[in-house]
Amino acid sequence: MSATRLADRTPHVEADELVAAMVPPPRFDRVRFDTYLPNPDEPSQAAAVRACREFAERVSAGGDRGWLGSLFKRSARPDDKPGLYLDGGFGVGKTHLLASTWHAVPGPKAYGTFVELTNLVGALGFAETVRRLSGHRLLAIDEFELDDPGDTMLVTRLIKELTAAGVSVAATSNTLPDKLGEGRFAAADFLREIQSMAARFTVVRVDGPDYRHRGLPDAPPPLADDDLRARHAGTPGSTLDDFAELCRALARIHPSGYGRLVDGVTAVHLSGVRPAPDQAVALRLVALGDRLYDRDIPVAVSGEPLSELFTDEMLRGGYRKKYLRAISRLVALSR
């Protein structure tokens, strides 16, 4: 895919590739527990490192993935739970800790975002997904959220079946597990399913300010259109898109394909940036921003600043935390 516009790219991922591709993104290839630098003013961060280390050691000590190994792992301590859930604001290093946990555990193992996991089920079917993942020691899920009733029923059942098969699950989120879905759909109607899933996790809180903006300057102002085109022309491997056209193109691609969409791109240039016109577009931009951040791809824009990508109404709604995370990551990429 060598098109100089993202809107002209047509990423396609085969079902078998989805399983093989379930590894941490390039930004987190080399992270380890020792490379996480806890903020000395936030003791919960050092405590989270210890909790993740202990969890990884317990999962690794499970040894054989047969029934005997599962029995040994489950009998480690009566209060041990099969899941570890890192809860905290954006920019505190939860994904760093999740990827470090994944690296510390021997395979078979899988790592993916929540949206990639739900897409895997859609591509393979529920039973086949359970079959393929049941032999794993660890499933790591980044950006865990329940955005609609379908996701809720699907993922709560999936985690129940995988943990029953002996799979350990580690997850990150901006929302406590028993509060998932609040403000987005009638979560109270699914309270039993949500609470049943939440009971399988030990929750570890990670507090602190957003490290991406600790002592750093504000994002650079948007460029003039001519300057944006000149920067694109001088950056081999970069793309240049009209913002509105890209938003329309993203609607044709499942968000799980956004990583493939930006593979090999050296920088992204967007002209005519303006606030997202509706929630559906906004959530696609969040997913795209996450994949750009995973790959450390710089972003330059003309039009409105990236900090104005989501309206005040959106920032007051149920997806507030997602939007703030996206702004944090995109502003960091624009520096």
Side-chain angles (χ1 to χ4, degrees):
M1 291 185 294
S2 59
T4 58
R5 295 197 325 155
L6 292 177
D8 293 334
R9 292 181 157 214
T10 52
H12 179 70
V13 185
E14 297 292 342
D16 286 342
E17 287 184 83
L18 291 172
V19 179
M22 293 191 74
V23 298
R27 173 184 280 270
F28 300 99
D29 280 346
R30 294 180 176 82
V31 302
R32 299 295 187 272
F33 292 128
D34 289 341
T35 64
Y36 182 91
L37 302 177
N39 185 336
D41 297 327
E42 301 290 346
S44 68
Q45 295 188 7
V49 175
R50 290 193 297 271
C52 289
R53 281 187 187 273
E54 291 172 2
F55 181 78
E57 289 169 0
R58 178 159 57 86
V59 175
S60 300
D64 176 32
R65 285 295 292 114
W67 70 269
L68 189 60
S70 296
L71 180 64
F72 172 79
K73 182 169 68 175
R74 292 289 181 261
S75 64
R77 284 200 308 258
D79 59 345
D80 282 340
K81 294 183 179 181
L84 181 72
Y85 192 101
L86 299 175
D87 168 66
F90 48 87
V92 295
K94 299 188 304 296
T95 301
H96 185 135
L97 291 173
L98 183 71
S100 298
T101 301
W102 188 90
H103 286 302
V105 173
K109 55 190 176 180
Y111 180 109
T113 63
F114 181 80
V115 70
E116 288 168 339
L117 181 63
T118 55
N119 186 55
L120 179 69
V121 178
L124 298 180
F126 186 86
E128 180 64 10
T129 300
V130 171
R131 187 187 73 80
R132 292 200 186 202
L133 296 181
S134 287
H136 284 48
R137 276 191 173 91
L138 175 69
L139 171 62
I141 309 171
D142 198 18
E143 302 158 19
F144 197 106
E145 267 304 349
L146 298 179
D147 291 339
D148 59 60
D151 283 351
T152 299
M153 299 304 293
L154 176 72
V155 175
T156 53
R157 181 184 169 202
L158 181 66
I159 288 178
K160 178 181 178 181
E161 297 211 12
L162 290 178
T163 54
V167 182
S168 296
V169 180
T172 70
S173 182
N174 302 125
T175 307
L176 286 167
D178 60 351
K179 302 296 183 184
L180 289 164
E182 285 189 354
R184 302 180 186 183
F185 61 96
D189 294 343
F190 301 89
L191 194 59
R192 184 173 64 179
E193 290 83 1
I194 293 172
Q195 290 182 339
S196 174
M197 181 195 68
R200 298 171 188 270
F201 288 98
T202 296
V203 177
V204 175
R205 178 71 187 177
V206 190
D207 294 309
D210 183 352
Y211 79 91
R212 287 182 286 268
H213 302 286
R214 225 177 273 159
L216 295 175
D218 292 335
L223 300 172
D225 284 332
D226 288 345
D227 293 336
L228 187 73
R229 285 191 289 269
R231 181 175 292 195
H232 162 60
T235 310
S238 69
T239 59
L240 173 62
D241 284 86
D242 174 77
F243 179 74
E245 289 184 15
L246 178 60
C247 288
R248 289 192 290 271
L250 292 177
R252 301 193 297 268
I253 304 167
H254 190 278
S256 64
Y258 290 0
R260 179 63 61 88
L261 178 71
V262 299
D263 276 349
V265 174
T266 59
V268 166
H269 302 82
L270 301 174
S271 64
V273 168
R274 61 181 69 97
D278 57 53
Q279 200 97 265
V281 172
L283 290 172
R284 293 184 197 113
L285 292 171
V286 169
L288 178 64
D290 286 338
R291 302 295 74 80
L292 293 171
Y293 182 77
D294 288 344
R295 290 155 177 78
D296 204 17
I297 298 173
V299 178
V301 305
S302 70
E304 298 292 323
L306 288 166
S307 56
E308 303 298 322
L309 200 53
F310 308 108
T311 65
D312 289 341
E313 182 181 2
M314 291 174 181
L315 292 175
R316 290 193 297 268
Y319 298 102
R320 170 183 169 81
K321 292 178 180 179
K322 279 192 173 187
Y323 296 147
L324 292 176
R325 184 188 74 225
I327 291 171
S328 169
R329 290 182 165 187
L330 288 168
V331 166
L333 293 174
S334 72
R335 290 200 179 98

